[in-house]
Amino acid sequence: KTRYRAIAARCNYLAIDRQDLQYAAKEACRTMSCPKKGDMAKLKRIGRYLKSRMRVVYTFEWQAAPSGLTCYTDANWAGCPTTRKSTSAGTVSYGRHLIKTWSKTQATVALSSGEAELHGIVKATAESIGLQNLMRDFGVKVWNKTPIYADASAALGMTQRSGVGRVKHLDTQILWVQEKKTREMVEFRKVKGTENPADMMTKHVKKELIERYLKELRLEGGKA
């Protein structure tokens, strides 16, 4: 158990700025309290992947001052086979520069894919507004209302209405995003699932997809 916890913690440290590792590291850390033999196999798989891709290089090209932030978000409904909890993920960029990503297990069990995706949009909205305020504190002007891209039509439909409508089981705090949209602090847009880079941080995906998503985020992977 001690060895497992040490390796999982190291993976979690690496995943801070390794988008291709964040979901796998998160799942490994979820079983740190009581790891099993099958969990160690997961760590070995992470190790084999890291041997083939030892680093990820961030590319910060020279750019004119962008008008604001851009956010992508996604969620994997009931992805955990044990707890049936979903995973939310997202990316925030300033122009062409990636500045923040996350992969989090949702606290509640969503009753539908639309609800799971809506939880992901709430998280993305909070992160975007927080970064807007932080940039203003640093003297960086953010002119636009942050576009938040998601690939779930049902969740996007919930953000466009006023109130819960026919979806009665939602928490009222989730409708906070409707207020932020009305105040024009953010706006919600549709993106194809195959073009959403947050997808690789919600579930296990193939290596080809990881390479495509890293390229979209202007990251370059390879050996040291």
Side-chain angles (χ1 to χ4, degrees), residues 1 8 19 41 48 50 59 83 107 122 129 134 154 159 193 200 209 220:
K1 290 183 179 180
Q19 290 68 29
R48 289 193 294 269
L50 288 175
T59 303
T83 63
V122 172
I129 294 175
L134 180 63
T159 64
M200 69 174 170
L209 280 177
E220 181 181 350

Side-chain angles (χ1 to χ4, degrees), residues 197-214:
D199 178 62
M200 69 174 170
M201 294 175 287
T202 62
K203 57 182 176 291
H204 298 294
V205 298
K206 295 182 179 180
K207 187 175 180 180
E208 295 76 14
L209 280 177
I210 292 178
E211 293 176 352
R212 183 200 303 176
Y213 292 141
L214 288 178

Side-chain angles (χ1 to χ4, degrees), residues 94 99 130-142:
Y94 183 56
I99 57 177
L131 286 172
Q132 286 180 16
N133 295 330
L134 180 63
M135 294 177 72
R136 291 191 182 99
D137 291 341
F138 288 149
V140 180
K141 294 183 179 180
V142 181

Side-chain angles (χ1 to χ4, degrees), residues 19 70-73 89-93 98 100-102 197-198 201 217:
Q19 290 68 29
T70 303
C71 180
Y72 286 86
T73 182
T91 71
V92 181
S93 300
L98 180 67
K100 186 168 187 177
T101 60
W102 65 87
M201 294 175 287
L217 295 174

Side-chain angles (χ1 to χ4, degrees), residues 23 26-27 74-76 85-89 103-105 201-202:
Y23 177 75
K26 173 186 74 73
E27 290 298 303
D74 194 20
N76 182 28
K85 290 185 177 180
S86 309
T87 296
S88 300
S103 178
K104 302 288 185 181
T105 300
M201 294 175 287
T202 62

Side-chain angles (χ1 to χ4, degrees), residues 3-134:
R3 186 185 181 195
Y4 178 89
R5 291 166 182 159
I7 299 174
R10 185 167 300 180
C11 290
N12 190 42
Y13 174 77
L14 292 174
I16 294 175
D17 51 8
R18 286 288 301 262
Q19 290 68 29
D20 55 338
L21 193 62
Q22 285 184 351
Y23 177 75
K26 173 186 74 73
E27 290 298 303
C29 290
R30 292 182 65 197
T31 54
M32 287 179 68
S33 61
C34 187
K36 301 177 181 179
K37 291 183 178 179
D39 297 321
M40 183 60 75
K42 298 177 182 177
L43 290 184
K44 292 180 179 179
R45 187 171 183 178
I46 294 175
R48 289 193 294 269
Y49 173 77
L50 288 175
K51 287 189 67 176
S52 65
R53 187 188 294 275
M54 294 186 179
R55 66 177 184 177
V56 168
V57 180
Y58 283 64
T59 303
F60 294 101
E61 302 172 349
W62 178 263
Q63 62 178 2
S67 59
L69 304 172
T70 303
C71 180
Y72 286 86
T73 182
D74 194 20
N76 182 28
W77 178 44
C80 178
T82 304
T83 63
R84 285 305 178 187
K85 290 185 177 180
S86 309
T87 296
S88 300
T91 71
V92 181
S93 300
Y94 183 56
R96 296 187 300 272
H97 297 169
L98 180 67
I99 57 177
K100 186 168 187 177
T101 60
W102 65 87
S103 178
K104 302 288 185 181
T105 300
Q106 296 180 3
T108 59
V109 178
L111 300 181
S112 66
S113 59
E115 182 181 349
E117 295 279 0
L118 185 58
H119 278 286
I121 290 177
V122 172
K123 170 69 174 175
T125 303
E127 293 288 348
S128 299
I129 294 175
L131 286 172
Q132 286 180 16
N133 295 330
L134 180 63

